Amino acid sequence: MQPDDCSDSDFKLENTLASNLLSSPKFPFTPTSKRFRHFHISTSLHSKISSFEEAVGHYDSRYSMKPFRVIKRAICAWLFVIAISTPTLTHAAEATNASLTLRDVLIQATASFQSGQYSQAIQFFEQLETTFGNEPQMKDPAIRRIILPAWGYSELATENYSGAIEQFEEYLEEFPEPGNVHSFVLISLAQSEHWNGNLTKAAQHYGEFIQTYPRLPETPLAALNQVDLLFQSQKAEEAYVLSERLFQSRAPGPLRAQSRLRALQVRLEDGERDQAAELLLSTEWSQYELPNLMEMAFAALQIGDSFMTEEDYHSALRSYRLVPPYSALLDYQRQQLQRVSSILGYRQRNPTSTMDSVWLAYYATLVSRLETQLEALESMDDYTPGFLLRYGQAFLGDGRSREARILFRNLALDDTLDSAICQQAHYRWILAEFALKRWDRTLEVAIDFQDRYPDSALAPDALYLVAQAHQEQQKYRYAIKVFDELIERFPDHKLAPRWLFTRGFNLAMLEQYEQSRADFELFARTYPGHPLTTQGSLWHALTHHFEGNYEEALAELQPLAESSRDHFLYPEIRYRIATAHYAIQDYDTARPEIEKFLADFPDHSRSPEAVVLRGDILMGQGELILASAAFAEVTPEADGLFPYAIFQRGKIFKALEMYDLMIDHFTDYLDREDLEIRPRMSEALYWLGWAYLQKGNIDAALLRFDQAFAEYGDDPAATEILPMISSLETLRSELLRNGDQALPDHSLFAAGNFSAWLDDQILLALESNRLTWYSRLKHFQANRARAIGQIELADTILQEIDEKVPLERLDPQVIGQIGIIYSAAGYQYADAYFDYILANYPDHPARAEAWFGKAEILIEEEEWEDADDLLRKFEQQMPLHPLSPQVNILRGRILTNLGFYDDAEKSFEEVLTRKDARGIPHARAIAGLAEMNEQRGNPKRAIPYWQRIYTLYRAYPEPVAEAYFRSAVLFYEIGDPTAAIRSLDEMFKDERLLNSPFAAKAIALRRELQEEMDTLPAPVDTPPSTPVEIQEEPAS
Amino acid sequence: MKRLTCTLLATLALASPGRAVEPISPDLSKATTRALLENLSGLPPPIGGPIPEKEHLELRLPLTLTIQGGQEFKGTLSELHEGRIYLRLVQEGGEVILSFPVEEIEQIFFPGGSIVHETIEKVNAGELSEALPYLESIIGARYAFFPILAPENLSFYRALPLTALAVDNPAQAIAYIKAIRPYLTLPEDQRELDDIELLSYHRLELTEETRERALRWIDGTPERFPTSALGFYVLASLQFEAGEYDEALDSALHPIVFSGPIHQPYLKHCYSLAIVSAYILKDPIELERLTTEARERGIEWQPQMVFAAADKGLEEFIITDAEGNPLPLIPDESTEDSPLLEKRGSSNHPAPESDNTL
């Protein structure tokens, strides 16, 4: 084949040659990997790289040189063809190199090139140029088309980039037509310019390549290189556009992802966090098999941290989600290195096109990069625990405390982690539990933290959380204990002022107002100017308010308001001033105060309450019409205040005897369609019926009652059903008593008596399976029995209800009553009844019975604090409940057992001030005082209390018997057996007392005392002990 | 053949793997199924029906046994006993049974390689019910050799319980797992068998066993970022069914917390369970965060039968796609079928190292 044959059809010939060479069984491969080796050597000498960023920073972006075997093979073949077809030249040029002919030089150039001896090949190419340059063969385009790329490549291989550039440019100038060699030369020129430091020119040549060969497989690679070079040449805007174009193209996923990652990294380096984050978060990285995941992961970490700093936790989480744990990243990186190395090896072994060298360079670079990164990754510390702490914090900040709890718990309990990490995680675990308002768990975890890390710098913070958890659980005494410890152990802690303040608050919640004020006073003295100063003063004033000392409260609130005009609590202080005036019935002052409050702070959170208060004040002033108008301003948005206002208006109309208005008012309320929740509807029906009765419209009244029974009688959540039944009883008896009018045509009047009507209704309710209604009617029966002293019958009726009606069909009030019967009988299962009420009717008045009953059970179990928590709630929320004297007594017993004697005394004394608690409750309160003094170690003070019982409450044998016995024991203890015997003998004289459980004990004691007395010498006129005298009221 | 003994044992009976007498029906009561599974040993009776006779016979042709030194013997298995294989060889005038110490056997070449190959293709193509009878026939011919085969060559059989599950016979799947688990000792095989077993118990609605296995599954997942969320999903689903919504939410959240850019199997199930639990628990923040996050992460909504068990109303619960179209709560005909078992890592079933040499 002659060279001329192919001069006009390069493509065809080159392809033919290439395919021939490709099919060659043993393709000579002589790698010239000097640059590649150099890279390896240089990286191996790298000092330990402590972080990935550093590794990326040291990345050498120049491609490693690899032989472009196919094109080389083609060139070798051409050179050989040229050489053997060149006749022996006898030319003047031979004078300068007499020993070599053109053909010889060509053959030697071919051999050197083929064997990878590029320096030598260059010499021969230069010799061809200098010695035979003027020969016509050397000017033949067909020969230059071959020699120039080979020479250029040889220069490139020996890192003489300017030489390579010269040859490649010359080629492109002489042969600008596109073709295989052209594409190879163009991309090699781009590489040469790149490595020669001419980044702009390199980018330009890559651009030309992309434009000339838009569909070659190498085009996206060229585009990636171009993007990279443009970024390096500070042409970021152009680079971003091209990067985005590449990302949106159909190029292979890894190349697209790398292009986007590069843009992201540059954005990040340039401080354009938001744009970087946009790129990070809008890319589904997992789709693309990103080879350098590590770079993306660290960019995500950096961006996540940056969002954390800005408290944008949601975005931080999204970024952190892209960060794999260290071990996973390490595995991934190793797998990627193995995968890319395999691809590189495969391509080296299996050349497929003239452009192989481009791919080889790409993969070789990638392998080097991955190796460097892996080395850096392996030498760095595991970032995962620290990262996970931040990740958990992001969950916490984003309001996802559940997730934070899971994560922190997982870290805290991982004993393979560093103790400092576990400690941090444990502390944040407490925070997460706290945020979830799981107080028991918060305490548990916080106490565990204390046990594990007693000397931790976080101990005070953890203890503070413990105290807060106690406070949230309304376990104020526990909270106070923790605050005591905090204040004592860490007096100089930055939170010490807050602890003191909060202890004062907790004391106020315990109604220990004096101690509470002492804390607020100490706070004001110790930390003047503290941000909580105004709060402290307000609470100090409020403790007076809570005690009912409104004058003192006002004396503090008024100057506080003057000095706190700019404080956010100023409206609150103003509101409190108005309520204090209202409480002392100074309505004339209260009214302008509250009206000014409403005018000044119409949008304050207290406004709905203030509107209601204004109504109450007006009622107090007797301005009932104005009050009604004030209550009419209260809207359903005011939640619980709205029904209150409705019923206050009803009360006003009732007081004014404006029954028509009352009827209209309650009818309107019942007919409202804009209420999502319709509270106290049955009660409204009751009052409506009542108003009709006052108007003498018996039929309408009965109609309304019937309506109420039909709509709400069988609804367990409905209230005021029993008063309605009671009204019917009253109505019936009144109408029958008057006897001067025709009786309405109603079953109530058809029955022989009210009891018969009740029995009929009970039967009907059972027949129609209206079990709730049935239980209410029976409950009514039980109450009637109780009212006439038939307690056992009442209890039996309630137990009958319990047998017939499932729990979920019972009125919570009935459930409570039944529960209390069982609880008094000592049945533990009573607890289930109370739990049912609290779980299903947490706001129902019957919760009072539930708290009471549960407290009784807890007291039996000596769970004093838990019982006290329930009873305190009872006292705060239901101060007027019929069970409240019993609650006071129980609380007194609890406080005695807990050693809070002063509080216990107050609780018992409270009962004694109540006239409605005369009789047994008073006797029990006095017994409580006696026991309290016994436990306090003051038997002399206890005895008179017992004496008081057996003196004043003789109508109640059981407490009297106990009082005799207990006083006898105490007399004996204080060394007065004679008085003891006297007490017992007096006891034995009352036969009723001999059936008491104390009788047997008393007899045993008497015998013991007698035996003791018999062994003693005769007494010498010893005066009896004189316990402290206590003035008593007579028993009712 | 220096230590090879040749013994004529004409009366030696062929040791066949123990099979239960009755096939396991999916219609059995829970109590019967439970009792049946507790007492099973060996391979259960096949349920997939017959394969063509020609293929059946091909699989049962004599195998070729190569011993150290390269000598080959062709015959059928007579017995595997005390470290020796007894091979029945047909020779002129009758049969001879040769015994070989197991440690001297270099290779066993089973017939029916092309059938195995086609079965693997069926499994990989998701044609599980079609693959089931073949797998049963293959294992029927080769199960007796399991004790002496390398576990690497047995991974293929973990497809068998999966195919039983595919024909809605989870009890059979469990029975297969019991039969093959002792021999498939590679960690990845054990993990997949655990997964299939858990799913099977869940399908059988044997709640106690499922809960126990789900907890064991979770305990046996030491890595912080689990490669599958299956155990958490199953546990959460049981808790949801029992009305333990708080616990269900916590269980479902665990893999959600510990999930990265690559979504592990059953993560979407956990998201759906967590979202519905948060709704029932009236936790609007959690509900909003999870819904938003699921969308942002491209996690598709997974309708689940267990949602029908919610004792509190889900009537007003509406979940929509990004375009606002409502999504079904409970799987219906319009719902795309989920894969039977969402697998960790590679989706294809492993093939034996060589098509027919095990």
Side-chain angles (χ1 to χ4, degrees):
Chain A
M1 186 185 290
Q2 296 298 313
D4 286 348
D5 294 346
C6 62
S7 60
D8 56 350
S9 54
D10 287 353
F11 266 74
K12 187 180 168 189
L13 282 170
E14 282 173 12
N15 287 337
T16 311
L17 266 172
S19 60
N20 286 342
L21 288 164
L22 278 170
S23 62
S24 167
K26 285 213 172 203
F27 181 72
F29 175 59
T30 316
T32 55
S33 53
K34 185 181 170 191
R35 173 171 295 281
F36 193 45
R37 280 198 303 275
H38 170 72
F39 189 87
H40 273 284
I41 292 161
S42 64
T43 52
S44 70
L45 291 174
H46 272 185
S47 58
K48 291 273 182 187
I49 298 168
S50 61
S51 71
F52 167 74
E53 288 89 341
E54 275 185 75
V56 173
H58 288 168
Y59 163 62
D60 184 347
S61 62
R62 292 174 300 171
Y63 287 156
S64 304
M65 191 60 196
K66 280 298 200 179
F68 45 112
R69 284 170 293 160
V70 176
I71 196 76
K72 181 183 164 189
R73 184 71 174 152
I75 291 166
C76 285
W78 272 100
L79 285 171
F80 182 71
V81 168
I82 293 164
I84 57 169
S85 61
T86 305
T88 307
L89 294 172
T90 51
H91 191 272
E94 287 179 12
T96 56
N97 196 342
S99 60
L100 292 173
T101 63
L102 172 59
R103 177 179 169 160
D104 292 338
V105 178
L106 271 171
I107 288 170
Q108 289 193 29
T110 306
S112 301
F113 185 74
Q114 193 169 14
S115 62
Q117 294 171 349
Y118 296 109
S119 300
Q120 211 173 343
I122 291 167
Q123 283 178 12
F124 287 120
F125 287 129
E126 283 172 352
Q127 195 175 347
L128 282 171
E129 181 71 21
T130 51
T131 309
F132 305 105
N134 292 328
E135 294 299 328
Q137 287 92 337
M138 287 303 294
K139 288 183 180 168
D140 184 343
I143 292 178
R144 289 183 67 75
R145 189 188 291 275
I146 302 305
I147 287 178
L148 287 173
W151 192 349
Y153 177 76
S154 300
E155 298 284 7
L156 186 60
T158 54
E159 298 183 29
N160 180 9
Y161 305 119
S162 40
I165 292 165
E166 192 183 329
Q167 301 307 321
F168 289 142
E169 281 184 337
E170 214 166 314
Y171 175 91
L172 292 173
E173 195 179 330
E174 290 179 29
F175 308 104
E177 308 83 19
N180 275 8
V181 177
H182 179 272
S183 65
F184 168 77
V185 169
L186 186 52
I187 206 162
S188 298
L189 175 61
Q191 285 177 314
S192 304
E193 291 284 14
H194 181 189
W195 294 333
N196 205 31
N198 303 325
L199 305 185
T200 310
K201 278 191 175 177
Q204 187 188 325
H205 290 312
Y206 278 125
E208 287 164 16
F209 180 87
I210 295 161
Q211 205 166 6
T212 313
Y213 303 102
R215 289 186 183 81
L216 282 184
E218 291 73 23
T219 307
L221 201 52
L224 185 63
N225 289 336
Q226 189 190 18
V227 165
D228 202 38
L229 287 165
L230 287 170
F231 278 130
Q232 288 180 49
S233 320
Q234 312 302 318
K235 294 179 179 172
E237 289 312 314
E238 193 183 342
Y240 288 136
V241 172
L242 293 175
S243 159
E244 189 58 21
R245 192 179 295 164
L246 176 56
F247 180 72
Q248 299 296 346
S249 72
R250 292 182 180 179
L255 293 178
R256 291 164 59 199
Q258 283 179 82
S259 155
R260 176 151 277 206
L261 179 60
R262 189 73 189 108
L264 189 165
Q265 287 173 314
V266 175
R267 292 274 191 204
L268 206 52
E269 282 162 18
D270 292 348
E272 297 173 351
R273 202 283 317 273
D274 289 345
Q275 291 90 331
E278 170 63 25
L279 292 174
L280 178 78
L281 300 177
S282 64
T283 310
E284 280 192 45
W285 299 99
S286 56
Q287 281 187 358
Y288 302 109
E289 286 190 34
L290 183 65
N292 39 349
L293 178 71
M294 181 175 161
E295 292 176 42
M296 189 279 286
F298 279 86
L301 198 58
Q302 195 181 338
I303 290 171
D305 287 349
S306 150
F307 278 126
M308 284 293 280
T309 313
E310 291 174 13
E311 299 183 3
D312 180 354
Y313 300 110
H314 179 70
S315 303
L317 272 177
R318 291 186 65 197
S319 307
Y320 285 155
R321 286 277 193 203
L322 299 169
V323 182
Y326 175 77
S327 57
L329 185 58
L330 205 56
D331 286 348
Y332 187 89
Q333 204 74 5
R334 283 177 182 145
Q335 285 166 13
Q336 284 301 313
L337 179 59
Q338 196 179 8
R339 193 178 69 87
V340 177
S341 300
S342 302
I343 296 171
L344 177 64
Y346 180 82
R347 279 190 171 266
Q348 282 172 338
R349 290 189 304 276
N350 303 283
T352 54
S353 81
T354 55
M355 300 294 271
D356 264 351
S357 66
V358 180
W359 289 106
L360 290 171
Y362 166 71
Y363 284 113
T365 306
L366 198 53
V367 166
S368 298
R369 193 166 179 156
L370 289 170
E371 280 174 342
T372 310
Q373 290 173 355
L374 183 59
E375 192 185 334
L377 198 60
E378 283 171 336
S379 63
M380 71 191 288
D381 290 335
D382 183 355
Y383 59 80
T384 317
F387 154 66
L388 287 178
L389 280 179
R390 302 204 291 287
Y391 180 45
Q393 204 61 31
F395 274 124
L396 208 51
D398 197 33
R400 299 175 69 175
S401 309
R402 284 173 184 274
E403 285 91 332
R405 184 171 56 90
I406 290 169
L407 200 145
F408 288 135
R409 184 181 54 197
N410 182 284
L411 292 177
L413 300 179
D414 185 347
D415 51 17
T416 65
L417 294 177
D418 185 69
S419 166
I421 293 285
C422 290
Q423 194 183 124
Q424 274 290 340
H426 202 134
Y427 175 68
R428 294 174 199 205
W429 178 14
I430 310 170
L431 289 176
E433 297 285 4
F434 189 86
L436 285 166
K437 299 183 180 175
R438 296 182 180 186
W439 309 122
D440 286 341
R441 288 291 299 152
T442 307
L443 279 172
E444 223 172 272
V445 180
I447 289 164
D448 189 33
F449 180 89
Q450 280 289 304
D451 292 346
R452 281 184 186 218
Y453 313 106
D455 302 322
S456 165
L458 291 167
D461 303 78
L463 269 174
Y464 184 32
L465 287 170
V466 170
Q468 285 179 289
H470 282 312
Q471 184 182 307
E472 292 293 341
Q473 288 179 306
Q474 301 183 354
K475 293 185 172 179
Y476 303 117
R477 279 191 189 81
Y478 287 108
I480 289 164
K481 275 185 192 168
V482 180
F483 282 123
D484 287 346
E485 188 185 341
L486 278 168
I487 291 164
E488 193 187 326
R489 278 179 61 192
F490 312 103
D492 301 323
H493 195 276
K494 62 178 186 217
L495 288 171
R498 186 169 286 276
W499 300 336
L500 182 58
F501 172 88
T502 317
R503 188 174 68 179
F505 167 82
N506 278 276
L507 285 163
M509 291 296 105
L510 275 178
E511 301 172 19
Q512 295 179 3
Y513 298 119
E514 271 186 39
Q515 294 96 315
S516 168
R517 278 194 289 274
D519 268 359
F520 290 127
E521 281 159 21
L522 181 62
F523 172 82
R525 277 199 312 277
T526 318
Y527 308 108
H530 190 275
L532 288 172
T533 301
T534 306
Q535 282 93 321
S537 302
L538 175 60
W539 272 99
H540 191 279
L542 288 178
T543 55
H544 289 304
H545 197 295
F546 301 148
E547 277 185 311
N549 298 326
Y550 302 109
E551 300 285 2
E552 281 98 329
L554 276 172
E556 290 185 17
L557 287 169
Q558 280 163 336
L560 183 62
E562 285 304 312
S563 62
S564 312
R565 285 184 175 276
D566 297 328
H567 197 274
F568 76 93
L569 281 174
Y570 177 62
E572 176 70 21
I573 299 167
R574 292 270 306 277
Y575 173 76
R576 292 290 183 175
I577 288 173
T579 55
H581 282 298
Y582 171 74
I584 55 173
Q585 300 182 359
D586 179 4
Y587 303 125
D588 293 341
T589 313
R591 184 170 162 187
E593 283 285 353
I594 205 67
E595 283 173 351
K596 191 152 190 323
F597 172 88
L598 284 165
D600 290 349
F601 313 107
D603 300 322
H604 192 268
S605 60
R606 289 281 190 195
S607 289
E609 285 168 81
V611 171
V612 170
L613 179 61
R614 183 168 167 266
D616 285 336
I617 292 168
L618 287 166
M619 278 179 82
Q621 283 184 312
E623 299 277 7
L624 297 185
I625 301 298
L626 282 177
S628 170
F631 287 125
E633 288 173 26
V634 183
T635 61
E637 286 71 40
D639 294 330
L641 293 171
F642 175 67
Y644 174 80
I646 290 286
F647 284 89
Q648 284 297 84
R649 289 191 78 196
K651 209 186 274 184
I652 289 170
F653 297 140
K654 182 183 170 214
L656 292 172
E657 299 183 0
M658 297 165 83
Y659 302 122
D660 287 334
L661 276 178
M662 196 173 170
I663 288 167
D664 291 347
H665 173 67
F666 281 116
T667 306
D668 284 349
Y669 180 61
L670 289 164
D671 292 344
R672 281 186 83 134
E673 291 178 352
D674 60 334
L675 301 179
E676 279 184 25
I677 303 167
R678 302 167 74 82
R680 299 167 70 177
M681 283 292 169
S682 50
E683 197 179 340
L685 272 169
Y686 167 76
W687 285 112
L688 186 55
W690 184 89
Y692 275 123
L693 277 183
Q694 307 314 307
K695 290 286 290 178
N697 192 345
I698 311 294
D699 290 332
L702 288 170
L703 194 70
R704 283 304 189 175
F705 286 146
D706 285 345
Q707 183 192 347
F709 294 147
E711 288 181 15
Y712 300 102
D714 208 43
D715 172 7
T719 53
E720 300 301 321
I721 302 295
L722 291 201
M724 270 189 271
I725 302 173
S726 183
S727 295
L728 286 185
E729 186 176 16
T730 312
L731 174 67
R732 187 179 189 283
S733 58
E734 278 182 10
L735 285 181
L736 287 174
R737 196 183 310 125
N738 292 341
D740 55 354
Q741 61 187 86
L743 292 173
D745 182 17
H746 192 274
S747 62
L748 183 65
F749 299 97
N753 54 43
F754 186 75
S755 297
W757 177 81
L758 209 53
D759 289 339
D760 290 346
Q761 295 303 309
I762 287 168
L763 279 176
L764 283 172
L766 266 184
E767 281 168 15
S768 55
N769 199 31
R770 298 184 76 214
L771 293 181
T772 309
W773 176 228
Y774 160 82
S775 71
R776 282 184 169 133
L777 291 165
K778 294 289 284 183
H779 185 203
F780 189 83
Q781 271 189 338
N783 285 353
R784 292 176 96 209
R786 199 182 299 278
I788 56 171
Q790 295 179 336
I791 308 296
E792 284 182 9
L793 175 62
D795 288 353
T796 307
I797 294 172
L798 285 167
Q799 288 177 62
E800 190 188 336
I801 295 172
D802 187 38
E803 279 172 22
K804 279 211 169 74
V805 185
L807 210 56
E808 63 273 14
R809 299 287 302 274
L810 283 176
D811 183 318
Q813 211 84 51
V814 182
I815 301 174
Q817 298 275 334
I818 295 169
I820 285 174
I821 292 172
Y822 292 147
S823 155
Y827 296 127
Q828 287 291 314
Y829 57 75
D831 211 21
Y833 291 77
F834 305 130
D835 284 341
Y836 185 83
I837 295 172
L838 296 176
N840 295 282
Y841 303 98
D843 300 321
H844 194 280
R847 67 188 185 280
E849 276 88 353
W851 288 333
F852 179 81
K854 281 186 81 68
E856 278 194 318
I857 293 168
L858 288 166
I859 288 169
E860 284 299 309
E861 293 165 356
E862 299 191 351
E863 299 284 351
W864 308 107
E865 289 87 358
D866 292 339
D868 193 41
D869 292 339
L870 295 175
L871 295 176
R872 198 170 49 249
K873 272 199 276 194
F874 188 117
E875 275 188 351
Q876 284 166 0
Q877 297 182 30
M878 304 277 181
L880 302 177
H881 195 280
L883 283 171
S884 60
Q886 294 185 56
V887 167
N888 285 131
I889 294 165
L890 287 184
R891 280 208 73 198
R893 283 178 56 200
I894 291 167
L895 294 166
T896 300
N897 275 291
L898 289 172
F900 298 105
Y901 301 119
D902 291 341
D903 293 342
E905 189 168 14
K906 276 186 200 165
S907 211
F908 291 127
E909 294 288 0
E910 168 109 19
V911 180
L912 296 175
T913 62
R914 292 184 63 157
K915 289 182 181 173
D916 62 339
R918 283 180 176 169
I920 280 281
H922 273 206
R924 288 197 177 135
I926 295 166
L929 285 165
E931 282 176 336
M932 184 272 291
N933 277 294
E934 279 180 36
Q935 283 210 25
R936 214 174 193 175
N938 197 351
K940 284 192 177 176
R941 191 166 172 78
I943 291 170
Y945 285 114
W946 292 121
Q947 289 176 323
R948 181 168 155 187
I949 293 171
Y950 62 69
T951 309
L952 300 175
Y953 297 93
R954 298 206 68 84
Y956 310 106
E958 199 164 312
V960 168
E962 185 185 3
Y964 273 122
F965 172 71
R966 300 283 290 263
S967 64
V969 171
L970 289 177
F971 276 126
Y972 178 55
E973 278 178 12
I974 63 171
D976 190 352
T978 313
I981 289 172
R982 205 164 40 235
S983 286
L984 292 172
D985 288 347
E986 196 176 315
M987 176 183 174
F988 299 146
K989 283 179 190 163
D990 188 339
E991 286 184 2
R992 297 174 309 155
L993 308 184
L994 299 179
N995 295 325
S996 153
F998 289 96
K1001 291 181 189 174
I1003 292 164
L1005 179 62
R1006 177 71 179 80
R1007 191 177 300 123
E1008 198 180 325
L1009 285 167
Q1010 191 59 55
E1011 284 168 5
E1012 202 171 300
M1013 291 293 285
D1014 292 347
T1015 61
L1016 291 174
V1020 187
D1021 197 20
T1022 313
S1025 296
T1026 43
V1028 182
E1029 283 296 319
I1030 298 169
Q1031 293 298 315
E1032 287 309 329
E1033 52 165 321
S1036 60
Chain B
M1 284 184 64
K2 56 182 176 180
R3 281 190 290 137
L4 195 66
T5 52
C6 174
T7 320
L8 252 175
L9 293 166
T11 55
L12 199 65
L14 179 73
S16 64
R19 279 193 186 272
V21 182
E22 293 295 325
I24 298 173
S25 162
D27 302 325
L28 296 173
S29 71
K30 279 187 193 177
T32 311
T33 308
R34 191 175 274 131
L36 198 64
L37 290 176
E38 276 172 12
N39 296 315
L40 260 181
S41 65
L43 278 179
I47 54 167
I51 61 170
E53 192 181 359
K54 188 183 158 201
E55 291 174 321
H56 177 82
L57 293 175
E58 187 184 337
L59 285 165
R60 280 152 185 81
L61 285 173
L63 54 89
T64 307
L65 195 140
T66 311
I67 61 164
Q68 283 171 2
Q71 198 174 354
E72 292 182 349
F73 296 88
K74 214 165 188 172
T76 52
L77 180 70
S78 170
E79 191 188 15
L80 187 66
H81 183 63
E82 291 185 347
R84 301 185 75 86
I85 284 187
Y86 294 83
L87 204 62
R88 187 193 307 270
L89 280 75
V90 178
Q91 290 192 342
E92 278 181 28
E95 284 181 348
V96 64
I97 291 179
L98 302 181
S99 85
F100 308 91
V102 166
E103 64 273 13
E104 290 187 7
I105 296 165
E106 282 198 337
Q107 198 181 44
I108 302 171
F109 187 89
F110 288 104
S114 62
I115 299 170
V116 172
H117 189 71
E118 282 165 19
T119 306
I120 290 166
E121 283 184 352
K122 280 188 176 70
V123 171
N124 286 338
E127 298 163 2
L128 298 180
S129 51
E130 290 82 357
L132 173 62
Y134 285 95
L135 279 164
E136 286 181 325
S137 187
I138 295 165
I139 199 169
R142 302 181 182 181
Y143 185 65
F145 288 92
F146 275 28
I148 60 162
L149 295 177
E152 292 78 18
N153 292 327
L154 295 174
S155 298
F156 156 71
Y157 292 99
R158 70 190 197 207
L160 183 58
L162 196 61
T163 54
L165 201 55
V167 297
D168 206 17
N169 196 334
Q172 181 81 3
I174 295 167
Y176 275 134
I177 290 167
K178 278 190 143 190
I180 64 175
R181 189 191 279 283
Y183 312 109
L184 274 69
T185 52
L186 293 181
E188 60 270 26
D189 292 339
Q190 288 284 316
R191 260 203 308 272
E192 186 163 320
L193 292 180
D194 286 344
D195 288 357
I196 302 168
E197 188 182 49
L198 181 57
L199 267 183
S200 302
Y201 273 104
H202 193 35
R203 287 261 184 104
L204 280 171
E205 296 178 10
L206 294 177
T207 312
E208 277 172 38
E209 289 88 340
T210 313
R211 190 180 278 255
E212 185 189 312
R213 275 167 181 77
L215 290 169
R216 208 188 302 153
W217 189 101
I218 291 168
D219 286 345
T221 308
E223 61 267 28
R224 184 167 280 124
F225 285 76
T227 52
S228 167
L230 175 64
F232 295 99
Y233 151 64
V234 171
L235 182 63
S237 146
L238 292 177
Q239 288 164 331
F240 187 97
E241 197 165 14
E244 300 161 359
Y245 302 115
D246 213 36
E247 289 80 357
L249 179 54
D250 277 357
S251 299
L253 281 178
H254 190 101
I256 292 175
V257 169
F258 295 109
S259 64
I262 296 164
H263 304 160
Q264 66 265 49
Y266 296 96
L267 183 65
K268 61 183 175 185
H269 295 69
C270 288
Y271 262 102
S272 298
L273 263 164
I275 285 170
V276 175
S277 301
Y279 174 83
I280 290 176
L281 289 168
K282 296 183 179 151
D283 188 339
I285 295 177
E286 193 68 59
L287 177 65
E288 188 274 328
R289 299 286 195 278
L290 283 168
T291 313
T292 306
E293 185 175 73
R295 279 197 191 125
E296 283 170 353
R297 299 183 72 189
I299 288 166
E300 63 185 88
W301 171 253
Q302 185 66 35
Q304 290 174 50
M305 282 310 296
V306 73
F307 294 149
D311 62 3
K312 290 184 189 171
L314 284 175
E315 300 83 8
E316 291 178 21
F317 176 75
I318 294 172
I319 186 123
T320 58
D321 61 16
E323 282 78 44
N325 304 310
L327 295 164
L329 196 59
I330 292 164
D332 57 23
E333 287 172 1
S334 68
T335 316
E336 273 184 38
D337 282 342
S338 296
L340 198 58
L341 172 71
E342 288 191 10
K343 295 200 177 188
R344 316 161 192 235
S346 164
S347 60
N348 278 357
H349 244 85
E353 282 183 358
S354 131
D355 282 355
N356 51 4
T357 305
L358 297 178

